[in-house]
């Protein structure tokens, strides 16, 4: 998850990237990426719902 988290930001040291590439299973990276994307979208949807609800009521 840590490798996927940093990849969302595009910030990674070359040494850490090479270490991850050597020891991580590609299937696990794909699953972690999907989970990370779903969590990210869920957070965005929640923020939008809160803002819209406050804008309508206020």
């Amino acid at each position: 998850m840590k490798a996927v988290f940093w990849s969302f930001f595009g910030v990674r040291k070359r040494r850490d990237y090479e270490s991850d590439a050597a020891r991580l299973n590609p299937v696990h990276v794909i699953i972690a990426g999907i989970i990370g994307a779903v969590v990210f979208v869920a957070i965005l949807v929640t923020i939008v719902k809160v803002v819209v609800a406050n804008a309508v009521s206020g």
Side-chain angles (χ1 to χ4, degrees):
M1 287 304 288
K2 181 176 144 183
V4 173
F5 173 76
W6 284 115
S7 70
F8 275 121
F9 294 106
V11 179
R12 198 79 173 136
K13 293 180 182 176
R14 183 186 254 336
R15 178 178 45 102
D16 292 338
Y17 169 75
E18 291 171 354
S19 171
D20 288 341
R23 66 183 170 102
L24 291 177
N25 183 345
V27 175
H28 294 156
V29 173
I30 292 170
I31 292 170
I34 292 170
I35 291 170
V38 168
V39 169
F40 180 70
V41 170
I43 290 170
L44 288 179
V45 168
T46 303
I47 291 170
V48 169
K49 284 184 178 184
V50 168
V51 169
V52 169
N54 288 338
V56 171
S57 66

